[in-house]
């Protein structure tokens, strides 16, 4: 877990994390149990010397005051004196987990479990951390072990249900939670987690009943408030969602959960169009206690909005998913102007975007970035030329919005990415050869469709009203494996022409193709962002919590885009019918012309 490797591309910050896992290794109750065990160290498998006991007591005291660095040092001191003392490994694991050092914490928990006499508490803590890190199969085994030792333990039962949910084994998660509720209906934890299982499946309205019941049983439950906020945001109730989050944050003592809720708060503010507060709060995405929070490997100083950029050497890092790198790039012309001819802007982006960005921003130097994982942390590195002058400042690309996108009036009115002109001409000739009808590109999903993300994309079979539109020639722009959907379309008599092009990786040519089309329709995935950035006519199928709408009825980063919002979360029939009707009107007008 300590070697540096290429990491997978980071997802966008939407959809948001759920808070349902139970247990806190540093809760007063958990620390009291550790203190009781320290009072009787002779009961351990090994007998620690008194200085080791004293050091570990100091470590527990430091964790109580949230001084996790001191807790780590004191636990390591105890281990120097008694290396096989499971309690010292357990305390070290807790200190490192609370400090956000998750990979070392995982190793420490594993060692503690191997050495422990009473495995139950450590198995629960280790299972919860393994789930947080995404090691779901390992987490499931650990939690099953914990339940063997304590069959009625509510924490282990609840967290096992969370692991089943995260593996999209929804019927098993529901069955487990239903049994738990029948046995102990007074436990709010189960109701909250069952609500998150429903939201994972897109059943937002139904989930509110379970979050409300959790809050009736345990008023002020910050997890249920936060989860209800996410459901309300998805249902198009952002003000109510913001009220829930603002109530939940002061009730939370866990730094990781607090950061998660602040991230959700930022997205609600952006959805509402409160851009100044929203983008300032959005900086929480780099809090190391956030899952997969990025750090930037550079010796330059971090840019702040008040810094004077004129004449400076600025390194801008692309961030989040590929679509976000494109969306946030609409701010680059502002940054280049602010630096001026006496300075230099270097932009580090996903390697597939380098040719397109270099053509679009000739005044800047465009390089690729790499993301590496080291000791459980993600770091992004810019592949700077050896002869290049070192940057003085660096900024994540989204952070530049804090200075240059404070209101809707600050957004561009023209495209900001420049496709290859020869490629655009090539695709126009190719499309013209297909016939006289308008050429409409369609795409319907993202490359990653786990339980969280699938609910943001309409099932392909619901595209039938759109694909039935007469007088239109449809072009398949969907990247990734879409053989099943194309076969389904062919069986129904729909002809989707697929270009001879790598739609996933050859993004420079994809951008040119979208510019050559008469229209592009789809959800906000990477290709639709590219189409909007080059100025192609775009129809966005938008969910109620589409925060890049920034309080408008459109998509401000892309002036050529028109938004078609759903009537409610996962309510696809209505919006697909409206898209089909609008497309028929457009095709009819084109035919008449």
């Amino acid at each position: 877990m300590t070697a540096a490797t290429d990491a997978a591309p980071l997802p966008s910050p939407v959809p948001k994390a759920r808070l349902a896992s139970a247990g806190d290794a540093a809760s007063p109750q958990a620390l009291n149990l550790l203190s009781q065990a320290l009072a009787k160290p002779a009961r351990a498998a090994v007998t620690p010397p008194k200085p080791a006991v004293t050091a570990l007591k100091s470590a527990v005291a430091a964790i109580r005051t949230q001084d996790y660095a001191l807790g780590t040092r004191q636990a390591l001191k105890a281990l120097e004196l008694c290396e096989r003392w499971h309690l010292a490994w357990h305390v070290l694991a807790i200190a490192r987990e609370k400090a956000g050092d998750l990979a070392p914490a995982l190793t420490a928990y594993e060692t503690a479990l191997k050495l422990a006499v009473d495995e139950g508490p450590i198995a629960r803590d280790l299972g919860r951390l393994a789930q947080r890190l995404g090691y779901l199969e390992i987490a499931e085994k650990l939690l099953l072990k914990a339940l063997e030792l304590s069959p009625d333990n509510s924490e282990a039962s609840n967290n096992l249900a969370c692991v089943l949910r995260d593996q999209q084994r929804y019927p098993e998660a529901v069955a487990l939670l239903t049994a738990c509720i029948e046995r102990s209906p007074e436990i709010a934890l189960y109701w909250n987690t069952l609500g998150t299982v429903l939201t994972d499946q897109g059943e937002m309205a139904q989930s509110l009943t379970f979050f409300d019941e959790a809050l009736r049983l345990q008023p002020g439950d910050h997890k249920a408030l936060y989860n209800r906020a996410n459901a309300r945001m998805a249902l198009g109730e952002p003000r109510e969602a913001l009220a829930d989050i603002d109530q939940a944050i002061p009730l939370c003592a866990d730094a990781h959960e607090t950061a998660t809720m602040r991230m959700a708060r930022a997205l609600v503010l952006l959805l509402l169009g409160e851009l100044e507060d929203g983008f300032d709060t959005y900086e929480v995405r780099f809090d190391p206690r956030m899952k997969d929070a990025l750090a930037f490997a550079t010796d330059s100083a971090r840019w702040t909005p008040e810094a004077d950029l004129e004449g400076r050497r600025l390194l801008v890092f692309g961030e989040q998913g590929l679509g976000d790198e494109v969306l946030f790039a609409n701010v680059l012309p502002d940054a280049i102007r602010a630096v001026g001819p006496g300075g230099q802007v270097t932009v580090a982006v996903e390697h597939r975007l380098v040719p397109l960005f270099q053509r679009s921003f000739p005044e800047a130097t465009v390089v690729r970035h790499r993301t590496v994982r080291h000791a459980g942390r993600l770091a992004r590195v810019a592949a700077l030329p050896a002869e290049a002058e070192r940057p003085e400042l660096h900024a994540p690309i989204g952070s530049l919005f804090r200075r240059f996108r404070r209101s809707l009036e600050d957004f561009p009115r023209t495209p900001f990415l420049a496709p290859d002109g020869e490629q655009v001409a090539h695709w126009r000739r190719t499309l013209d050869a297909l016939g006289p009808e308008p050429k409409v590109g369609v795409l319907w999903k993202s490359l990653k469709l786990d339980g969280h993300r699938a609910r943001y994309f309409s099932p392909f079979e619901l595209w039938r009203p759109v694909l039935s539109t007469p007088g239109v020639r449809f072009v398949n722009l969907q990247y990734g494996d879409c053989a099943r959907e194309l076969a389904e379309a062919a069986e129904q008599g729909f002809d989707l022409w697929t270009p001879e092009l790598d739609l996933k990786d050859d993004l420079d040519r994809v951008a040119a193709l979208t510019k050559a089309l008469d229209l592009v329709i789809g959800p906000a995935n990477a290709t639709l962002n590219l189409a909007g950035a080059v100025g192609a006519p775009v129809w966005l199928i938008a969910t109620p919590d589409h925060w890049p709408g920034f309080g408008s009825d459109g998509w401000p980063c892309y002036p050529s885009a028109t938004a078609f919002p759903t009537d409610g979360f996962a309510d696809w029939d209505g919006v697909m019918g409206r898209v089909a009707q609008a497309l028929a009107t457009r095709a009819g007008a084109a035919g008449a012309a």
Side-chain angles (χ1 to χ4, degrees):
M1 292 178 216
T2 58
T5 58
D6 280 321
L10 296 179
S12 301
V14 174
K16 297 156 286 298
R18 301 84 88 221
L19 296 185
S21 295
D24 180 358
S27 68
Q29 181 183 10
L31 294 179
N32 287 340
L33 292 174
L34 285 171
S35 295
Q36 292 171 20
L38 280 169
K40 301 172 183 178
R43 293 187 178 182
V46 297
T47 302
K50 287 185 178 180
V53 176
T54 301
L56 204 57
K57 287 180 178 179
S58 297
V60 173
I63 293 171
R64 287 185 190 276
T65 62
Q66 299 182 23
D67 189 345
Y68 305 124
L70 178 59
T72 296
R73 291 196 299 272
Q74 291 297 103
L76 288 170
K77 183 177 179 181
L79 285 169
E80 289 175 1
L81 298 167
C82 189
E83 186 180 2
R84 297 188 60 78
W85 189 16
H86 83 278
L87 211 57
W89 284 105
H90 193 181
V91 172
L92 175 64
I94 294 169
R96 290 206 154 164
E97 179 186 356
K98 301 303 287 186
D101 299 327
L102 302 187
L106 189 69
T107 301
Y109 275 128
E110 290 172 338
T111 306
L113 186 63
K114 291 176 184 176
L115 300 173
V117 175
D118 180 7
E119 300 173 322
I122 302 173
R124 290 197 299 272
D125 286 344
L126 181 54
R128 187 193 64 253
L129 181 59
Q131 180 208 358
R132 180 176 168 187
L133 289 169
Y135 303 134
L136 299 181
E137 293 183 3
I138 296 173
E140 182 179 356
K141 292 177 182 177
L142 288 163
L143 292 167
L144 287 170
K145 181 181 183 68
L147 284 170
E148 285 179 11
L149 299 168
S150 302
D152 296 327
N153 186 275
S154 60
E155 177 186 322
S157 296
N158 179 83
N159 292 355
L160 178 59
C162 291
V163 170
L164 294 172
R165 175 203 64 199
D166 292 351
Q167 296 178 84
Q168 301 179 48
R169 293 159 60 184
Y170 300 124
E172 293 176 67
V174 170
L176 174 57
L177 289 166
T178 301
C180 290
I181 289 172
E182 289 174 352
R183 184 172 63 246
S184 305
E186 75 285 356
I187 297 181
L189 186 67
Y190 297 144
W191 294 91
N192 173 60
T193 302
L194 188 50
T196 68
V197 176
L198 292 173
T199 59
D200 248 32
Q201 298 175 85
E203 299 175 14
M204 302 301 181
Q206 295 91 323
S207 73
L208 294 178
T209 300
F210 295 90
F211 298 136
D212 288 345
E213 180 63 11
L215 288 164
R216 186 189 70 80
L217 292 168
Q218 188 177 332
D221 179 357
H222 70 276
K223 294 184 179 183
L225 283 166
Y226 166 79
N227 290 326
R228 187 173 71 178
N230 284 337
R232 284 177 161 175
M233 187 175 175
L235 289 168
E237 302 173 1
R239 290 292 176 191
E240 293 82 354
L242 187 62
D244 275 348
I245 293 172
D246 285 343
Q247 184 181 350
I249 288 175
L251 300 172
C252 180
D254 182 271
H256 164 67
E257 292 183 347
T258 299
T260 300
M261 289 190 287
R262 288 183 61 215
M263 182 66 178
R265 185 178 191 275
L267 299 181
V268 178
L269 290 170
L270 294 176
L271 177 69
L272 289 168
E274 299 180 17
L275 302 189
E276 292 191 22
D277 191 7
F279 280 120
D280 287 345
T281 307
Y282 189 53
E283 291 298 291
V284 74
R285 66 197 185 279
F286 301 116
D287 188 319
R289 291 162 292 200
M290 287 286 294
K291 185 178 186 297
D292 286 339
L294 263 184
F296 298 98
T298 172
D299 55 5
S300 58
R302 181 68 170 266
W303 171 85
T304 55
E306 64 276 4
D308 182 11
L309 284 174
E310 186 174 1
R312 308 296 294 276
R313 296 189 300 276
L314 174 67
L315 171 59
V316 180
F317 282 97
E319 54 169 307
Q320 305 297 338
L322 190 143
D324 296 279
E325 292 197 41
V326 173
L327 180 138
F328 288 133
N330 82 81
V331 80
L332 287 177
D334 301 78
I336 292 168
R337 283 191 296 270
V339 167
Q344 177 62 44
V345 174
T346 301
V347 185
V349 294
E350 220 269 2
H351 71 96
R352 292 173 289 171
L353 292 173
V354 170
L356 178 59
F357 273 54
Q358 188 63 80
R359 183 185 311 107
S360 305
F361 309 110
E363 307 94 331
T365 299
V366 180
V367 300
R368 67 166 293 179
H369 60 55
R370 290 182 64 234
T371 304
V372 297
R373 187 180 292 274
H374 179 71
R377 291 288 184 85
L378 285 173
R380 185 150 284 181
V381 183
L384 299 175
E387 68 280 4
E389 289 189 88
R390 298 295 95 180
E392 301 170 88
L393 300 170
H394 74 275
I397 194 168
S399 296
L400 295 172
F401 276 49
R402 298 178 68 196
R403 175 163 167 180
F404 298 109
R405 298 289 182 266
R406 307 300 275 177
S407 71
L408 288 177
E409 288 69 35
D410 294 334
F411 284 84
R413 300 294 185 268
T414 57
F416 54 89
L417 292 187
D420 185 308
E422 292 184 3
Q423 279 293 317
V424 174
H426 160 75
W427 287 118
R428 283 179 176 155
R429 290 192 299 270
T430 303
L431 294 170
D432 286 345
L434 297 177
E437 304 91 349
K439 310 306 185 300
V440 176
V442 291
L443 38 106
W444 51 89
K445 64 182 179 180
S446 174
L447 194 61
K448 183 179 181 182
L449 284 178
D450 59 15
H452 259 292
R453 292 182 60 84
R455 65 196 194 195
Y456 284 84
F457 303 94
S458 167
F460 182 72
E461 56 266 22
L462 297 184
W463 280 77
R464 184 184 182 95
V466 177
L467 299 177
S468 301
T469 305
V472 174
R473 187 66 192 270
F474 290 99
V475 176
N476 170 38
L477 295 179
Q478 182 58 57
Y479 51 85
D481 183 6
C482 57
R484 180 187 62 80
E485 293 98 324
L486 293 178
E488 180 183 327
E491 288 175 3
Q492 297 180 22
F494 304 134
D495 181 17
L496 272 72
W497 179 74
T498 299
E500 294 185 7
L501 171 65
D502 187 336
L503 292 165
K504 174 177 175 289
D505 290 328
D506 196 350
L507 298 185
D508 200 22
R509 295 181 69 206
V510 168
L513 172 58
T514 66
K515 182 67 173 177
L517 289 163
D518 295 294
L519 179 65
V520 181
I521 307 175
N525 67 5
T527 300
L528 207 75
N529 277 273
L530 280 173
V534 300
V538 164
W539 287 2
L540 164 70
I541 299 172
T543 55
D545 56 353
H546 177 66
W547 58 269
F550 300 134
S552 74
D553 58 1
W555 204 358
C557 288
Y558 308 127
S560 64
T562 301
F564 285 77
T566 59
D567 296 321
F569 199 84
D571 186 359
W572 303 111
D573 290 324
V575 70
M576 300 310 287
R578 289 195 300 277
V579 170
Q581 184 177 13
L583 183 60
T585 300
R586 184 184 180 113

